[in-house]
Amino acid sequence: MTSARANPEMLSALDRPGSYIGKTVPRPNLDRLMQGRGLYVSDIELPRMAHVVFLRSPHAHAKINGIEASTAKQMPGVIAVVSGRELSTVITPWVGVLSHLKGLKSAPQSAIAVDRVCWQGEAVAAVVASSRAQAEDAAELVSIEYEELDAVTDMRTALDPATAVIHASLGDNLAFERNHDAGAVDQAFAESDEVVEADFVFGRHTGVTLEPRAVVADWNAAEARLTIYQGTQAPHMVQNIAALHLGLKESQVRVVCKDVGGSFGIKVHIYADEMATYALSKLLRRPVKFVADRVESFNTDIHARDHRCKGKIGVNRDGTITAFEIDDLTGIGPYSMYPRTSAIEANQVVNLVGGPYATRNYRARARVVFQNKNVMCQYRAVGHPIACSVTEGLVDMAAMKIGMDPIEIRRRNLIADNAYPCASPSGLRFEQLSHHAALAKLTGMMDYDALRVEQAALRTRNIHRGIGIASFIEVTNPSAAFYGVGGAKISSQDGVAVRLDAQGSVICQTSITEQGQGSESLTAQIVGSVLGVSMDRVRVILGDTDNTPYGGGTWASRGAGIGGEAALQATKVLRKNILDVAAAILQAAPGELDIVNNAVVNAADSAPRIELGELARIVYFRPDTLPPGIQAELMAARHFVPREYPFAFTNGIQASWLEVDIDTGFVKLLKHWVVEDCGTIINPQLVDEQIRGGVVQGLGAALFEKCVYDERGQLTNANMADYLVPMSGEMPDIDVGHVVSPTMESELGAKGAGEAGTAGAAAAVTNAVNDALRPFGTIITEIPLTPQVVLTALGRI
Amino acid sequence: MTAAVAISLSVNGERVEANVLPRLNLADFLREHLKLTGTHVGCEHGVCGACTVRVNGDIVRSCLMLAVQTHNATVETIEGLSDSGEIADLQSAFRERNALQCGFCTPGMLMAAHDLLKQSPSLDREQIREHLSGNYCRCTGYQAIVDAIETTARARSGRLP
Ligand code: FES
Ligand code: FES
């Protein structure tokens, strides 16, 4: 289904001849990465650059009674050994709260721990040396005296009166609580034919970007300027925060972001060790480089999920879902992360549960507690996999209870495609979703009925396959409602500047960033299409606060929808400016001219009039030949932020087909399908690959990924051999289909697609496993679905 | 501390003489001493495959090999294979299929895929998936990579897609 635009005239900028919109074109600059000529932060070297290695706490909670570094300081190459107290002379602590998350509290956090460590892996001292190896050697000679304190590890008992309080000044271990009550929940449950309840458990996992976090900070005392090279998704946010805590003006901080080896939300935060690296550079007046090793990544990159959620659903025998209720609990480590806070995930769970469905009755409680484990925060699809797994798990259980097919119960309860605009019981506003069109497309793609027949046939041979379905909604294109209203200096708008160079090529500076999604490509596609130039003439510059407009960056599925619209609007202005000057040169009216294929042409018959290169030559070098009073402006800038809707919701549906080996507990994924609706598709291949990559991260969560802590707060699998991520041999082929409902908030009509895959994959897999296990009368509501979990559910171990 | 050891080797066809500490691994030698930063380090313990290079014609994980072990050896990295044009067809298939996102796994992935294609030119998808399981990619979900390798396998063995 492709919905028609309300105002077809508005499409003209995109539908021009030779448009790249909706076309699969290869991303520019892939050769650089394929030939090993990328520039990741870990590759950067500067003159006089020193390397920092952090000593990290082996304890989950301990007092620091002393740091003895005199021997280490004598080691070859060592420049300094710096404690948290020493570093606090150059950088101030922070508190990760936002005012719109009412009641959220956290304690001051320092770049390097002062007096006390609160998780295993928190930095206690920094060793700076000429080489990393020298810093590592010296670090072994630093001795730190700890006095262990009680560690709070189990989120379920974190609020018990008998449990130690991690930050005495906060009074208890509760970081945040949200309650929501809509409709008449108790009455709805009382009147339902059936009520089903279940406890859902989600493993703690982490992003495992293939390039670990890395930063090079370069304080130039003579310029009084700090340049930060960092693989961040939000350069202007980093600029703001670094300046704030180092006592600098933002104009004194430049953030440069070249190639980034994976981000997924891991690199949208500001970590204490990154702050420490900025501060060390200022303290030592030279460039300092920090590259996390893999063990540090596991111990300090934000973790995510780790929720325990009680869920309840009411259903009538005709399939009508009457109410949802949840009680969610999550443990976020000892501090709320900075500056985005660690309450967002639980908040999203409350927002999103039941989101695809029409029922008006919904009650939720979410509690976020502190614990002595690594910090948790926003990772790809924040909250969505939890909300989706709970919702879709409950819907399947309700269907099972009343003996209805999972597709049928969804058909009867998904919000109708003609019901928009409307709002969810949690207050989310939907502009236009397409659940039913997506469902219909999905069942067609997977040949649902045939698959059920195949499943039944295989059952008779003791082969247990399952089909799992999961509908979902996804938050994209966030406005200021996400962070700005809470006081965070995180821009929700993005800007693009575009100019014609002296040979008729185009230089485009955008505030969105690239981590492999294709930001550069989609920007070039839009600019090329709107202007009428070929993509190879468009060079896109991003990731540099000195050289791009101010803006948010690439996170929360916002790059294409927000940055893309800014590119479109800026290019329209440039196009008009070019036609104005062309008209003056050609003594024509601007309306009679057009730009096609790098040249100004007659709009009527496409006859070429003047090449853009020739026009640029005249403007830049022979302006004396232009008519009097004509000043050409071959550069334009525009910004965009959604104002009407706080978020552009997208929707979709996924299905999993898999086989469970009931003897070994192994789950073999056979096939996965996704239908999603991200509005206007700029580059189908890039959207599909975002979906596939996102699905596989969700499949990792479903089957393998889990940070395993012991009861003393020790992370026991902090390496890639023990923390399992999906490998190619275990992953299925993934078919992706689309429904297209453009948002009317922008001329481009694009919504986000980066997180849809991750949102629903685990729910689809869990539902499929339960479908496969149906004859055994057992239901699993815990991920990852390891063989142990499966065999335990089957009563085999 | 043990003293540096003199080594002599060929890297991408160029003669290299160096003094290295015995503990220095090949990945760090290539990256830090020779500035061949196309060889990436993802895990430093032999799991992810990002550091894959070719030593005497065989692919190895350069984080698990010591630089001193390459004395008298022939080492080839992604920079060398790119400049020589040896993997141009595979790179082109990766570009067309968008088989890379962040690109951090890509040099190692290309190394491993090319080696696989040389050993067994007529692979099916399952075999490709199986063989590449030692090379992690966190971005793509692998399907595009498998597609690109399958396309190259077909083209190299003269089969039409
Ligand atoms: S860095 Fe060598 S295998 Fe990961
Ligand atoms: S493309 Fe990012 S890890 Fe493979």
Side-chain angles (χ1 to χ4, degrees):
Chain A
M1 179 188 91
T2 305
S3 59
R5 306 275 317 193
N7 178 358
E9 212 174 290
M10 287 173 68
L11 261 184
S12 60
L14 300 170
D15 268 358
R16 297 156 36 73
S19 170
Y20 295 103
I21 306 300
K23 304 242 163 60
T24 287
V25 285
R27 284 160 55 201
N29 286 328
L30 284 184
D31 287 346
R32 197 182 68 231
L33 302 179
M34 286 194 295
Q35 296 183 12
R37 265 80 175 195
L39 189 62
Y40 299 89
V41 177
S42 36
D43 301 334
I44 291 175
E45 278 189 25
L46 299 177
R48 292 185 69 241
M49 187 175 83
H51 298 258
V52 60
V53 163
F54 292 100
L55 277 132
R56 296 184 180 275
S57 169
H59 305 295
H61 198 192
K63 265 176 71 183
I64 305 165
N65 283 338
I67 299 175
E68 168 46 49
S70 50
T71 327
K73 285 180 180 170
Q74 303 308 314
M75 289 289 286
V78 172
I79 294 161
V81 179
V82 182
S83 70
R85 193 172 297 286
E86 285 158 350
L87 202 62
S88 67
T89 59
V90 276
I91 189 162
T92 55
W94 55 88
V95 182
V97 296
L98 287 171
S99 62
H100 66 316
L101 297 163
K102 298 219 165 26
L104 171 62
K105 60 192 193 222
S106 188
Q109 185 181 359
S110 300
I112 295 180
V114 177
D115 295 337
R116 186 170 67 118
V117 287
C118 289
W119 84 89
Q120 179 218 3
E122 185 172 6
V124 184
V127 181
V128 184
S130 302
S131 76
R132 181 168 168 163
Q134 287 172 323
E136 280 169 358
D137 288 345
E140 284 177 21
L141 302 175
V142 178
S143 71
I144 298 170
E145 201 185 307
Y146 294 100
E147 179 184 329
E148 264 197 88
L149 301 170
D150 282 345
V152 179
T153 54
D154 190 340
M155 65 167 105
R156 290 169 296 184
T157 53
L159 298 177
D160 290 357
T163 302
V165 173
I166 296 175
H167 304 293
S169 62
L170 301 181
D172 57 27
N173 291 325
L174 182 68
F176 178 68
E177 174 164 352
R178 178 176 166 200
N179 287 279
H180 187 82
D181 202 345
V185 175
D186 290 327
Q187 188 189 347
F189 280 131
E191 293 169 1
S192 297
D193 291 333
E194 300 287 352
V195 173
V196 186
E197 294 182 57
D199 286 357
F200 296 85
V201 181
F202 300 87
R204 194 180 239 262
H205 52 262
T206 183
V208 198
T209 59
L210 206 55
E211 180 197 30
R213 287 185 299 109
V215 55
V216 175
D218 180 13
W219 169 252
N220 184 324
E223 281 185 332
R225 212 151 185 257
L226 177 70
T227 304
I228 296 171
Y229 302 87
Q230 187 171 332
T232 175
Q233 299 170 238
H236 285 101
M237 180 193 85
V238 172
Q239 178 190 47
N240 168 263
I241 298 292
L244 181 67
H245 292 280
L246 291 166
L248 301 172
K249 292 199 190 71
E250 287 186 19
S251 60
Q252 289 178 281
V253 179
R254 176 183 178 193
V255 179
V256 180
C257 176
K258 301 282 187 189
D259 295 309
V260 184
S263 52
F264 323 124
I266 299 303
K267 295 174 184 170
V268 78
H269 312 291
I270 299 184
Y271 292 82
D273 47 26
E274 294 164 0
M275 290 280 231
T277 308
Y278 315 153
L280 286 165
S281 175
K282 186 139 185 279
L283 187 75
L284 302 171
R285 301 160 72 94
R286 63 193 297 165
V288 178
K289 180 177 192 173
F290 165 61
V291 181
D293 68 24
R294 190 48 69 180
V295 175
E296 283 180 299
S297 302
F298 277 107
N299 278 299
T300 62
D301 285 8
I302 56 116
H303 294 174
R305 323 300 189 219
D306 203 7
H307 286 240
R308 304 183 80 94
C309 188
K310 289 184 197 306
K312 191 171 169 184
I313 188 171
V315 65
N316 289 337
R317 265 182 286 279
D318 67 359
T320 309
I321 296 170
T322 57
F324 286 102
E325 180 172 6
I326 61 155
D327 186 0
D328 184 42
L329 177 67
T330 181
I332 54 160
Y335 298 103
S336 171
M337 267 300 273
Y338 191 60
R340 292 171 187 247
T341 84
S342 304
I344 299 277
E345 179 149 273
N347 200 51
Q348 289 285 50
V349 173
V350 173
N351 282 340
L352 296 170
V353 164
Y357 298 100
T359 180
R360 306 307 304 162
N361 304 310
Y362 174 47
R363 183 158 58 213
R365 174 170 79 154
R367 286 171 303 158
V368 177
V369 301
F370 293 115
Q371 54 186 176
N372 295 110
K373 293 181 182 174
N374 181 25
V375 286
M376 289 225 312
C377 200
Q378 285 80 281
Y379 161 56
R380 195 176 199 171
V382 191
H384 292 66
I386 315 286
C388 183
S389 293
V390 170
T391 305
E392 296 302 290
L394 289 171
V395 169
D396 264 23
M397 284 178 227
M400 217 179 272
K401 191 87 178 180
I402 59 169
M404 187 174 275
D405 181 89
I407 293 287
E408 187 53 32
I409 193 169
R410 287 174 174 80
R411 207 173 268 140
R412 293 187 186 204
N413 288 281
L414 288 166
I415 301 172
D417 289 357
N418 61 4
Y420 301 95
C422 65
S424 78
S426 63
L428 308 175
R429 290 170 55 216
F430 303 133
E431 182 191 7
Q432 178 64 54
L433 302 179
S434 55
H435 288 296
H436 290 269
L439 177 76
K441 183 151 196 169
L442 180 90
T443 50
M445 276 166 63
M446 64 192 288
D447 201 349
Y448 183 78
D449 295 335
L451 219 49
R452 284 286 179 211
V453 173
E454 185 180 344
Q455 179 188 32
L458 289 168
R459 274 281 191 228
T460 62
R461 292 163 42 204
N462 220 19
I463 294 171
H464 300 286
R465 292 194 175 176
I467 301 169
I469 308 288
S471 286
F472 63 90
I473 54 172
E474 187 204 342
V475 175
T476 80
N477 293 4
S479 70
F482 225 6
Y483 294 111
V485 297
K489 301 252 171 39
I490 301 171
S491 174
S492 50
Q493 73 169 5
D494 273 290
V496 168
V498 57
R499 75 173 194 261
L500 198 70
D501 79 3
Q503 292 189 323
S505 289
V506 180
I507 297 169
C508 172
Q509 295 149 301
T510 175
S511 60
I512 63 170
T513 54
E514 173 79 83
Q515 300 97 30
Q517 303 90 330
S519 304
E520 205 176 331
S521 181
L522 70 89
T523 303
Q525 285 180 253
I526 292 167
V527 171
S529 303
V530 174
L531 198 56
V533 304
S534 48
M535 256 179 89
D536 57 13
R537 287 222 189 172
V538 182
R539 194 158 67 85
V540 179
I541 294 168
L542 23 65
D544 183 346
T545 55
D546 265 9
N547 288 305
T548 64
Y550 201 92
T554 300
W555 41 271
S557 299
R558 64 191 302 290
I562 299 178
E565 177 70 7
L568 187 160
Q569 296 303 339
T571 309
K572 278 174 69 179
V573 177
L574 176 64
R575 178 183 148 75
K576 177 183 179 302
N577 293 355
I578 290 172
L579 290 178
D580 283 349
V581 73
I585 293 169
L586 301 169
Q587 296 178 342
E592 296 166 1
L593 302 171
D594 192 3
I595 307 172
V596 176
N597 203 11
N598 309 313
V600 176
V601 301
N602 281 336
D605 60 5
S606 299
R609 297 296 303 272
I610 184 170
E611 285 276 332
L612 287 181
E614 174 60 8
L615 178 141
R617 185 191 66 79
I618 295 170
V619 167
Y620 289 122
F621 307 121
R622 293 305 307 276
D624 56 310
T625 65
L626 293 174
I630 296 282
Q631 173 59 58
E633 292 294 348
L634 299 188
M635 178 161 184
R638 282 293 180 272
H639 293 79
F640 177 71
V641 64
R643 297 289 297 276
E644 176 65 24
Y645 284 87
F647 310 99
F649 273 92
T650 69
N651 67 281
I653 186 164
Q654 302 195 15
S656 168
W657 171 237
L658 52 74
E659 184 171 316
V660 181
D661 183 327
I662 55 163
D663 295 318
T664 64
F666 273 103
V667 175
K668 178 155 181 55
L669 304 173
L670 300 169
K671 187 87 191 175
H672 202 95
W673 298 265
V674 183
V675 177
E676 67 78 55
D677 182 349
C678 65
T680 303
I681 292 173
I682 299 163
N683 184 326
Q685 186 185 57
L686 295 186
V687 170
D688 287 1
E689 294 315 314
Q690 277 300 299
I691 300 293
R692 291 197 175 98
V695 164
V696 167
Q697 278 184 350
L699 296 177
L703 295 183
F704 317 115
E705 297 187 38
K706 186 175 184 179
C707 297
V708 181
Y709 275 91
D710 69 13
E711 66 284 353
R712 294 177 57 229
Q714 299 284 319
L715 182 57
T716 60
N717 61 338
N719 64 74
M720 269 197 188
D722 294 323
Y723 180 100
L724 305 178
V725 297
M727 298 189 293
S728 56
E730 302 156 328
M731 289 299 108
D733 278 345
I734 300 161
D735 282 359
V736 184
H738 305 277
V739 178
V740 179
S741 313
T743 172
M744 297 296 160
E745 248 205 272
S746 66
E747 198 172 333
L748 184 60
K751 307 186 243 187
E755 300 168 282
T758 312
V765 167
T766 311
N767 283 352
V769 166
N770 285 328
D771 186 49
L773 297 183
R774 210 179 250 253
F776 304 93
T778 182
I779 300 267
I780 306 178
T781 52
E782 176 179 354
I783 59 168
L785 291 150
T786 59
Q788 188 184 2
V789 168
V790 173
L791 291 178
T792 305
L794 286 168
R796 305 215 165 190
I797 54 172
Chain B
M1 200 184 300
T2 331
V5 176
I7 56 170
S8 164
L9 63 156
S10 155
V11 179
N12 297 331
E14 289 173 23
R15 209 66 237 148
V16 171
E17 317 283 338
N19 287 306
V20 296
L21 292 176
R23 69 178 182 182
L24 182 73
N25 71 40
L26 178 58
D28 289 348
F29 175 65
L30 293 169
R31 290 177 52 79
E32 288 161 22
H33 292 238
L34 305 185
K35 315 296 176 193
L36 290 165
T37 52
T39 298
H40 294 156
V41 175
C43 69
E44 297 173 88
H45 54 253
V47 183
C48 74
C51 65
T52 306
V53 299
R54 212 155 65 182
V55 176
N56 294 334
D58 294 326
I59 53 167
V60 301
R61 307 205 153 200
S62 59
C63 71
L64 291 185
M65 190 171 201
L66 296 171
V68 292
Q69 292 175 285
T70 61
H71 182 51
N72 286 336
T74 298
V75 177
E76 289 156 294
T77 70
I78 187 67
E79 290 91 343
L81 265 64
S82 300
D83 286 348
S84 71
E86 185 179 342
I87 55 169
D89 58 341
L90 187 60
Q91 286 167 324
S92 156
F94 266 56
R95 182 189 313 106
E96 290 305 314
R97 187 56 191 83
N98 196 47
L100 62 156
Q101 290 183 23
C102 80
F104 200 78
C105 69
T106 311
M109 200 64 88
L110 288 166
M111 281 277 177
H114 181 58
D115 183 68
L116 174 62
L117 288 169
K118 277 201 308 186
Q119 288 177 23
S120 24
S122 54
L123 291 154
D124 65 22
R125 293 181 72 76
E126 275 315 295
Q127 292 167 312
I128 294 169
R129 281 191 178 277
E130 225 28 73
H131 276 90
L132 280 187
S133 279
N135 284 76
Y136 287 9
C137 174
R138 195 60 167 158
C139 298
T140 63
Y142 300 107
Q143 188 166 332
I145 294 172
V146 175
D147 289 346
I149 296 170
E150 198 183 20
T151 303
T152 311
R154 287 219 181 93
R156 283 192 188 177
S157 59
R159 291 173 292 154
L160 292 174

